[in-house]
Amino acid sequence: MRTPMNANPLAAVRNLGILAHVDAGKTTVTERILYATGATHRRGEVHDGTTVTDFDPQERDRGITIFAAAVSCAWDGHRVNLIDTPGHVDFADEVERSLRVLDGAVAVFDAVAGVEPQSESVWRQADRHGVPRIAFVNKMDRAGAELDAAVASIRERLHPAPLAVQLPIGAEDAFTGVVDLVRMRALTWDGDGGAGSEAPVPEELRAEARRRRRLLEEAVAELHPGALEEFCDTGALGVGTLVSALRDLTHSGDAVVVLCGSAYRNRGVEPLLDAVLAYLPSPLDVPPVRGTDGDGRERERAADPAAPLTALAFKVNATATGRLTYLRLYAGTIEKGDTVWDATARRAERIGRILRVRADRHAQVDRAVAGDIVAVVGLKSARAGSTLCAPGAPLVLEPPGVAEPVVSVAVEALRGTDTGRLASALGRLAEEDPSLVVRTDPETGQTVLSGMGELHLEVAVEKVRREHGLGVNVGRPRVSHRETVGRGVSGFVFRHVKQDGGAGQFAHVVLDVEPLDTPEAGFEFRSVVVGGRVPQEYVRAVEAGCRDALAEGPLGGHPVTGLRVTLTDGSTHVKDSSDTAFRTAGRFGLRDALRACAMVLLEPVVEVTVTVPEDAVGGVLGDLAARRGRVTGSVTRAGATVVTATVPLAELFGYATRLRSRTQGRGTFTTRPTGYAPAPATASAR
């Protein structure tokens, strides 16, 4: 797998992320990769707080990954830039920003639990970004671990064709290695982390290995035309053809290669690294990046160090001593001291230093080229999502999407003299994490911090306390409601007439308002005006005005969603009609029409997956019912019961403490947003 000396050096680069549900073992997999590649000389453990990537004090205290951490290492002549992403749903925005700049990913699954709720969520995120993946079924040494069951759950819940290229040797505590079905060899490891050894397939596993190899060949031939041709000609697939076909199927997303191991016991890590090099794409294998130039035309840039610079900032660390901006270079080269153009902020910036990153440790380098993931010091305006490019060849790339916050808390400094420092600290937080929003409530004057969940806000406030030494009071969390139309209105007439000297304003619109099938459908606008009674340019102004009106609904000033507005008629004035007049008519017309509709208040709901001992199931089910939860499933596996329920987000505040007390600390739960549902009549409008 070594790169020939005359090959493009970008072929020897892999930019990948580690994705998974919380506690599936992502950080341990990352630690073992660093250990196997020689980047570290001792194995870090999550439970000891000694991992490289979970370096933040809160990550070590809580035992979870909160912030995406980038590391670089080398394996078999290749450079691997790796990002360890969070698994908790509250930090999904960190995963989103990371996936935007990655070429491939390793999805880690628990060998006992299989595909869990957040595994599915991050898989769908990777689907949206078109990121090729391979799967690693971890924790094969645990009681109840079963590779075939995990593969079946991948097929059922994620819907790609899972292609297992390994067969476990031993089960649970006796798991010692794997049979490599591609090269038909046995790979075993002695002790916890001893050197691996290669040997022929054990006699007792040969028949099963041959059977599984045959199934693998048939599955690949069914999906890959080139492999099918060889399979039909010879009745089998050679190693070269099989590897090439698996690589093609991984890149296209038509299949996912599945490996297995135990990261904690350091078994299966080296074959995983070999699979990363063999199957995941290099920067040369992904399509050229696309963006818009200074004239608004769409352009693309290939991964070429000689091309004009094109880089995307995907993460910012704003510290008291300066700003660290993480970049993915898609094209071109940067050197220390270079002047670059921030195409998003439209200003020139100077690169102070360039750093090769290993979590919280950095090694200074003189230059970075296309395909690199590095951090730079000296940028003042760049934010997550900013495009940096060559001053003479501007190009704006699409930034990562930012999710809307769903939970808010009021925050205030304990001492009045610290109010300014608190505002500065919150501003720095929002700069680092775009999914955190800081605003001032216009009615109460309170500072409101909004985020993706209770834990997200808890971590943010604790960061303010620790890093800035500020005492902070925090109010009870409140969810972000939405409003939708329950029953619409037809033929609602609105006239906007303004005459106060000079040019007047006149706009006449007739609107139909009706609900869409689901609140998540958002907003639709259409016009059925005939005979040119409302010219097309004014129709667009009416739509813009209607969108303005969606910001505040009549029930409590919440955003409005899930409706269709149809412009059915209207009229103009030869002198006084204008875009401004019709936009105003659209805004005030829809606002008044919504008051005439039967409106429904919506609240965010989540899917909760609770894992509890069998003897505590009754109490947990009763507690979920008291929280307006609707149980959708229950399954028992490995001595524990997994209950799935849909629960309003507002009812889950403080649930972690309640669950611990009901299960003597043995229960765990995870959540996944599922949208909005009608709130009870007693729900607060504010």
Side-chain angles (χ1 to χ4, degrees):
M1 282 183 227
R2 295 187 184 279
T3 305
M5 292 301 290
N6 60 348
N8 190 320
L10 290 184
V13 174
R14 297 291 183 275
N15 293 314
L16 69 136
I18 307 292
L19 311 174
H21 185 88
V22 64
D23 286 337
K26 296 179 310 303
T27 300
T28 304
V29 169
T30 305
E31 288 298 316
R32 298 307 183 261
I33 287 175
L34 293 177
Y35 182 71
T37 58
T40 59
H41 300 292
R42 65 183 295 270
R43 293 178 292 161
E45 304 293 355
V46 173
H47 54 270
D48 292 336
T50 56
T51 60
V52 171
T53 53
D54 284 357
F55 57 85
D56 187 88
Q58 288 202 71
E59 293 179 308
R60 294 186 170 178
D61 290 349
R62 298 172 188 270
I64 61 171
T65 300
I66 296 172
F67 309 107
V71 292
S72 290
C73 54
W75 180 254
D76 197 14
H78 292 65
R79 185 172 73 254
V80 179
N81 298 317
L82 189 152
I83 298 180
D84 178 24
T85 65
H88 197 285
V89 66
D90 281 17
F91 308 104
D93 211 58
E94 286 272 331
V95 182
E96 186 76 15
R97 292 195 298 276
S98 299
L99 283 170
R100 175 65 178 80
V101 300
L102 294 173
D103 300 328
V106 175
V108 180
F109 300 96
D110 186 311
V112 179
V115 177
E116 297 173 274
Q118 189 60 13
S119 311
E120 191 169 349
S121 295
V122 296
W123 189 274
R124 301 299 172 219
Q125 284 179 285
D127 280 343
R128 288 199 304 273
H129 289 279
V131 175
R133 281 139 282 169
I134 60 177
F136 182 68
V137 178
N138 191 27
K139 303 186 179 183
M140 288 295 297
D141 57 322
R142 283 186 58 196
E146 188 180 345
L147 177 62
D148 290 344
V151 169
S153 72
I154 292 172
R155 181 182 294 107
E156 291 162 12
R157 297 194 62 174
L158 305 181
H159 309 299
L163 301 174
V165 296
Q166 293 178 341
L167 169 66
I169 298 176
E172 301 179 352
D173 280 347
F175 172 74
T176 57
V178 296
V179 173
D180 175 1
L181 298 177
V182 175
R183 291 174 173 79
M184 292 303 284
R185 56 182 179 170
L187 305 171
T188 56
W189 291 267
D190 297 327
D192 289 347
S197 59
E198 180 181 333
V201 178
E203 180 67 35
E204 64 274 15
L205 290 176
R206 283 180 190 168
E208 179 65 10
R210 282 195 293 268
R211 184 183 76 84
R212 292 192 178 230
R213 166 63 185 244
R214 183 67 179 180
L215 291 174
L216 176 63
E217 291 178 351
E218 290 172 354
V220 169
E222 189 175 319
L223 295 167
H224 191 279
L228 177 61
E229 187 176 339
E230 180 173 320
F231 190 79
C232 291
D233 288 344
T234 66
L237 294 179
V239 172
T241 302
L242 188 55
V243 170
S244 177
L246 289 171
R247 180 178 172 84
D248 291 344
L249 293 172
T250 300
H251 289 196
S252 67
D254 293 327
V256 57
V257 171
V258 182
L259 301 96
C260 64
S262 168
Y264 178 68
R265 297 190 181 278
N266 211 28
R267 296 173 184 173
V269 178
E270 294 90 343
L272 175 62
L273 279 164
D274 289 338
V276 164
L277 305 190
Y279 306 126
L280 290 181
S282 73
L284 296 175
D285 298 319
V286 297
V289 67
R290 303 178 71 88
T292 53
D293 63 15
D295 297 324
R297 292 172 299 195
E298 193 169 271
R299 302 282 188 189
E300 61 180 37
R301 297 248 170 99
D304 180 1
L309 172 67
T310 307
L312 186 71
F314 67 95
K315 184 177 175 65
V316 173
N317 277 355
T319 67
T321 56
R323 301 171 80 256
L324 200 62
T325 307
Y326 291 77
L327 303 178
R328 162 67 195 266
L329 273 70
Y330 288 99
T333 302
I334 55 171
E335 297 186 358
K336 178 182 175 182
D338 278 357
T339 297
V340 298
W341 178 253
D342 183 338
T344 308
R346 302 187 65 80
R347 59 173 285 177
E349 295 267 32
R350 185 176 178 277
I351 302 291
R353 288 183 293 150
I354 305 172
L355 306 172
R356 183 80 63 200
V357 183
R358 204 182 85 197
D360 59 338
R361 304 169 197 173
H362 314 108
Q364 192 163 326
V365 295
D366 294 329
R367 67 199 298 263
V369 301
D372 275 342
I373 292 178
V374 294
V376 297
V377 178
L379 304 184
K380 294 181 174 62
S381 63
R383 302 287 185 268
S386 294
T387 302
L388 300 179
C389 51
L395 192 74
V396 179
L397 305 180
E398 182 182 353
V402 179
E404 283 191 24
V406 294
V407 179
S408 301
V409 291
V411 293
E412 64 179 14
L414 280 177
R415 297 182 300 181
T417 54
D418 286 338
T419 301
R421 289 179 60 210
L422 176 61
S424 174
L426 292 175
R428 189 176 293 167
L429 272 182
E431 189 179 319
E432 292 185 352
D433 185 352
S435 61
L436 283 172
V437 176
V438 182
R439 63 180 175 86
T440 302
D441 189 299
E443 292 185 2
T444 64
Q446 289 178 308
T447 299
V448 178
L449 180 65
S450 304
M452 303 308 298
E454 194 176 9
L455 179 60
H456 190 204
L457 296 180
E458 197 179 300
V459 166
V461 171
E462 185 62 24
K463 194 170 186 181
V464 169
R465 288 177 176 141
R466 291 190 185 198
E467 295 187 4
H468 301 274
L470 287 169
V472 182
N473 275 331
V474 182
R476 187 181 186 276
R478 295 187 301 180
V479 299
S480 298
H481 288 86
R482 296 286 184 271
E483 298 177 26
T484 193
V485 175
R487 186 183 65 254
V489 294
S490 297
F492 189 89
V493 179
F494 186 85
R495 289 177 181 273
H496 172 63
V497 182
K498 187 177 181 182
Q499 202 74 44
D500 53 3
Q505 291 188 22
F506 177 88
H508 164 222
V509 295
V510 182
L511 305 175
D512 287 354
V513 181
E514 59 185 321
L516 292 172
D517 292 337
T518 60
E520 290 78 9
F523 170 70
E524 290 182 10
F525 180 88
R526 64 182 181 180
S527 171
V528 294
V529 177
V530 295
R533 290 177 59 81
V534 180
Q536 190 59 40
E537 61 268 24
Y538 293 163
V539 171
R540 288 193 291 269
V542 174
E543 179 180 358
C546 289
R547 291 187 182 277
D548 294 341
L550 299 177
E552 293 186 0
L555 291 181
H558 309 293
V560 182
T561 185
L563 73 160
R564 177 187 294 114
V565 176
T566 305
L567 178 64
T568 61
D569 200 2
S571 62
T572 62
H573 186 278
V574 65
K575 289 184 179 179
D576 294 343
S577 289
S578 64
D579 280 358
T580 301
F582 272 91
R583 182 164 186 160
T584 303
R587 181 169 71 253
F588 288 106
L590 180 55
R591 190 180 68 177
D592 289 354
L594 290 175
R595 290 196 183 101
C597 295
M599 300 296 291
V600 177
L601 186 67
L602 302 172
E603 61 180 349
V605 294
V606 297
E607 181 187 80
V608 183
T609 303
V610 190
T611 304
V612 295
E614 292 182 64
D615 57 4
V617 172
V620 168
L621 291 176
D623 188 44
L624 288 173
R627 295 172 185 270
R628 297 191 283 130
R630 181 171 56 86
V631 175
T632 55
S634 176
V635 62
T636 300
R637 59 187 179 212
T641 298
V642 180
V643 178
T644 307
T646 302
V647 186
L649 179 61
E651 300 289 347
L652 285 178
F653 297 139
Y655 184 58
T657 303
R658 182 72 168 172
L659 181 64
R660 279 196 296 268
S661 67
R662 282 189 173 274
T663 61
Q664 289 79 49
R666 296 177 293 164
T668 60
F669 79 101
T670 59
T671 61
R672 182 170 65 96
T674 58
Y676 286 83
T682 55
S684 170
R686 273 284 180 189

